[in-house]
Amino acid sequence: ALSFKSPKLDVQKVLSGHKVQGQTVSGTMQTVGLDMKGPVVSMDQLLSQSRIDLQAGQSQLLLQDPGKTTTEPLQLDQLKLISIPEKSTQVSLQGRFRDSPFGFDLQTADYNALQKSSVSLPIKLASTFAGHSLKAEGKMADLQIGQGLHVSLDIKGDNLQTVGQLLQIELPETGAYEFSGRLDATDDEYAFTGIKGKLGKSDTTGMLKVNTSQKRPVVTANLNSDALYYDDVFKHQKRKESDRLIPDFAIPVEFLKSFDSLIDIKAEKLYNVEVQYHDFVFHATLNDGYLQVEPFESTLGSALVDGALHIDSRQEKPAIRFSLNSKDTNYGELLESFGITDKVE
């Protein structure tokens, strides 16, 4: 058996240059306790055949991504690790990251299996962060580098924009959300399939893929809804008061240049302001800063409404072209529902 206690531990010295999920970790851990119970023949045998109990109190760590000089602070209030030979390893963390509280609980294979990179490992994960929660269960090909993930996934929270900030992608401010499905992640692709969920009152099913093998990430989505509410996605986007018939607005140039996409959305009903559309169809492609939405069609009452939107952010002065076609339609009601103007009757 082996027992070790330290009031303060230098993490960088302990790791001896080893990285965690590709990141360099430095800092100190307080009140560290380690107990190992098993045959003491060699250190390798002690690690592989012993029950391992590791605990630590208040800890201040710094995370540094490859190629970056800046670091991000990670505060751990509590760390617990228990590994039982031929059974499982359990890890529990509590602390603060980016000024928000988080909790992390992971159950996976024992120490021996974790050392074999060719072995598919079972994982069961529960995590919370800043009003969001995630549960995942399935397998991972290599836990050490976080690749080959195949899990069922349940996520929910109060605002998708916070998730975007954590993932370092731009997402709109929204209401509460809840989604479930299957996540398959490889070296350069994340596929979220069998999606079922709600965003506010809106429901959705379908799939979402993100491929990172190119210069710009490529987002592919195919989503369906029985009832889609415009305000669930854009409820916090305030419309500017304007005396112009067609009000001015800023084209999100950097956002349009940050990724490519192919998105298809169908909704049996679309609710926008006080207007209800039927059989809504939306097809959008984004390539190198050029956005094309076509077709864009729906039924308003007995009238078919179709249109197209083109935004070219590749030019020094971005250009926009919008067309809308309909017959026997109240255009004042239609333009107001699109957020274009309320000055037409």
Side-chain angles (χ1 to χ4, degrees), residues 226-297:
D226 291 329
L228 189 62
Y229 291 80
Y230 178 90
D231 282 350
D232 285 336
V233 179
F234 300 103
K235 64 184 297 183
H236 299 287
Q237 311 303 313
K238 295 182 179 179
R239 299 177 184 178
K240 295 181 179 180
E241 294 294 329
S242 175
D243 293 329
R244 298 172 49 146
L245 177 61
I246 305 297
D248 193 14
F249 67 96
I251 296 175
V253 174
E254 295 305 317
F255 175 70
L256 293 175
K257 291 181 178 180
S258 65
F259 67 100
D260 294 337
S261 67
L262 175 61
I263 297 175
D264 286 282
I265 299 175
K266 293 182 179 180
E268 184 176 330
K269 296 178 181 179
L270 170 66
Y271 297 91
N272 190 0
V273 191
E274 297 178 355
V275 181
Q276 177 179 316
Y277 299 89
H278 294 270
D279 303 320
F280 173 75
V281 176
F282 175 97
H283 175 79
T285 58
L286 176 61
N287 184 29
D288 192 22
Y290 186 89
L291 173 65
Q292 177 177 319
V293 180
E294 191 174 0
F296 173 92
E297 60 185 37

Side-chain angles (χ1 to χ4, degrees), residues 6-56:
S6 174
K8 188 175 182 180
L9 197 64
D10 189 320
V11 175
Q12 199 165 23
K13 289 182 179 179
V14 174
L15 293 175
S16 301
H18 292 287
K19 298 182 183 295
V20 179
Q21 297 285 310
Q23 293 183 314
T24 300
V25 182
S26 60
T28 59
M29 301 180 71
Q30 309 289 335
T31 59
V32 179
L34 173 65
D35 290 295
M36 303 174 67
K37 297 178 181 179
V40 186
V41 177
S42 65
M43 181 55 70
D44 288 340
Q45 189 174 19
L46 180 63
L47 289 170
S48 63
Q49 298 184 25
S50 297
R51 175 189 170 102
I52 303 174
D53 289 87
L54 173 64
Q55 296 188 30

Side-chain angles (χ1 to χ4, degrees), residues 28-32 55-61 74-80 92-97 99-104:
T28 59
M29 301 180 71
Q30 309 289 335
T31 59
V32 179
Q55 296 188 30
Q58 291 282 343
S59 305
Q60 302 293 333
L61 306 178
L74 171 65
Q75 176 186 319
L76 288 181
D77 298 326
Q78 187 180 64
L79 178 151
K80 290 184 180 180
S92 177
L93 303 173
Q94 291 182 359
R96 296 185 68 85
F97 181 62
D99 296 323
S100 297
F102 75 88
F104 178 90

Side-chain angles (χ1 to χ4, degrees), residues 33-184:
L34 173 65
D35 290 295
M36 303 174 67
K37 297 178 181 179
V40 186
V41 177
S42 65
M43 181 55 70
D44 288 340
Q45 189 174 19
L46 180 63
L47 289 170
S48 63
Q49 298 184 25
S50 297
R51 175 189 170 102
I52 303 174
D53 289 87
L54 173 64
Q55 296 188 30
Q58 291 282 343
S59 305
Q60 302 293 333
L61 306 178
L62 295 174
L63 308 180
Q64 183 177 351
D65 287 322
K68 292 186 176 180
T69 57
T70 58
T71 60
E72 282 199 279
L74 171 65
Q75 176 186 319
L76 288 181
D77 298 326
Q78 187 180 64
L79 178 151
K80 290 184 180 180
L81 182 149
I82 300 175
S83 184
I84 303 174
E86 300 182 3
K87 289 189 177 181
S88 65
T89 298
Q90 297 182 37
V91 181
S92 177
L93 303 173
Q94 291 182 359
R96 296 185 68 85
F97 181 62
R98 295 181 181 170
D99 296 323
S100 297
F102 75 88
F104 178 90
D105 291 283
L106 171 67
Q107 182 175 326
T108 184
D110 72 331
Y111 175 85
N112 289 320
L114 291 174
Q115 304 310 303
K116 301 174 183 178
S117 60
S118 60
V119 177
S120 182
L121 302 171
I123 62 169
K124 186 175 182 180
L125 171 67
S127 179
T128 59
F129 176 76
H132 306 268
S133 67
L134 178 151
K135 292 182 180 179
E137 187 169 1
K139 293 185 177 182
M140 178 176 280
D142 194 328
L143 190 62
Q144 295 182 15
I145 59 175
Q147 292 184 353
L149 181 65
H150 306 282
V151 297
S152 61
L153 191 66
D154 288 277
I155 56 175
K156 60 182 179 179
D158 53 17
N159 185 356
L160 279 175
Q161 190 177 65
T162 310
V163 178
Q165 292 170 353
L166 181 63
L167 300 176
Q168 297 182 342
I169 59 176
E170 187 173 342
L171 292 176
E173 187 175 357
T174 69
Y177 69 91
E178 184 173 355
F179 297 102
S180 65
R182 177 177 176 82
L183 177 63
D184 296 282

